[in-house]
Amino acid sequence: MKDVHISGPTEDIDGHLYDPGVRASMSAFALGDDTLALEAAAAVRSASQALDRLRSHGAGNRGLSAGALDVLARLATADELGLTIGELARAADVSSRNVTGLVDTLERDHLVRRVQNPDDRRSVRVTLTPEGAAWLDAFRQPTQRAMAAVFRGFTPDELAAFRHLCLRLVTNQHQLEQHLNAGRR
């Protein structure tokens, strides 16, 4: 267990990166069973956290979450009527309640606004404000430079394969979630 607290990747005999501390802790957790899937999950989590730290830094410490940035980006591609809370929630695969909280924060910061839905007076649509569009424009180039730096050395084929594998994880998780939810009925 002395390697549990070692951090930082190193290469295994096949030339693949792994984290000795993660491997040691996952070996202890798995009681000697194969740890490759557990290590892969830990690597995905570490990569996600690293990207979130970079995104937070690039957001100028404005405190915008990845979810809030996703809402802004989706609104930037919407027509002048914007999107409903439900449309934003379905697009991001989160609850309407979650999106409502994100929109509350973005509206408080004057980056989006709620407008009455012309097709249904009982509902509202969310639109990007000029301030929100300007903020996204200012965020765009630093983000593109940061992503180019983070993925430095990756070939286009590797990036496509990485994207594919991440989306396979998402697909598998959705299928598992549906199976688990069906068992509760």
Side-chain angles (χ1 to χ4, degrees):
M1 288 291 284
K2 65 181 172 129
D3 293 331
V4 170
H5 301 292
I6 296 172
S7 63
T10 190
E11 285 189 12
D12 64 16
I13 59 172
D14 296 322
H16 295 116
L17 293 175
Y18 77 100
D19 185 316
V22 169
R23 180 164 290 171
S25 63
M26 292 301 113
S27 290
F29 175 76
L31 300 175
D33 286 341
D34 183 37
T35 63
L36 194 54
L38 295 170
E39 289 182 60
V44 168
R45 184 180 62 250
S46 293
S48 176
Q49 291 169 343
L51 290 174
D52 277 347
R53 285 191 303 275
L54 187 61
R55 178 209 37 83
S56 179
H57 180 76
N61 296 321
R62 190 167 187 152
L64 293 183
S65 67
L69 288 170
D70 184 58
V71 167
L72 287 177
R74 289 179 193 283
L75 290 173
T77 62
D79 63 25
E80 67 276 356
L81 295 176
L83 298 167
T84 66
I85 297 286
E87 290 168 335
L88 287 165
R90 282 187 296 281
D93 196 26
V94 297
S95 71
S96 293
R97 184 177 184 179
N98 184 296
V99 171
T100 297
L102 295 172
V103 169
D104 288 346
T105 299
L106 293 168
E107 191 172 40
R108 185 189 66 232
D109 290 345
H110 308 288
L111 300 175
V112 303
R113 71 173 156 259
R114 288 178 169 95
V115 296
Q116 190 168 11
N117 186 343
D119 298 328
D120 182 355
R121 294 173 49 155
R122 297 168 295 162
S123 72
V124 297
R125 297 183 77 79
V126 182
T127 62
L128 193 63
T129 64
E131 293 92 339
W135 191 89
L136 270 177
D137 284 343
F139 184 70
R140 183 174 292 110
Q141 282 196 345
T143 298
Q144 289 172 320
R145 285 192 303 270
M147 290 303 107
V150 165
F151 289 102
R152 182 187 68 232
F154 284 65
T155 67
D157 285 343
E158 288 172 329
L159 287 173
F162 183 69
R163 180 192 63 213
H164 173 78
L165 293 170
C166 288
L167 291 174
R168 275 183 52 195
L169 281 174
V170 171
T171 299
N172 288 349
Q173 185 277 330
H174 281 158
Q175 290 172 347
L176 181 58
E177 188 174 35
Q178 287 173 343
H179 175 75
L180 293 172
N181 288 338
R184 292 182 186 161
R185 292 179 195 166

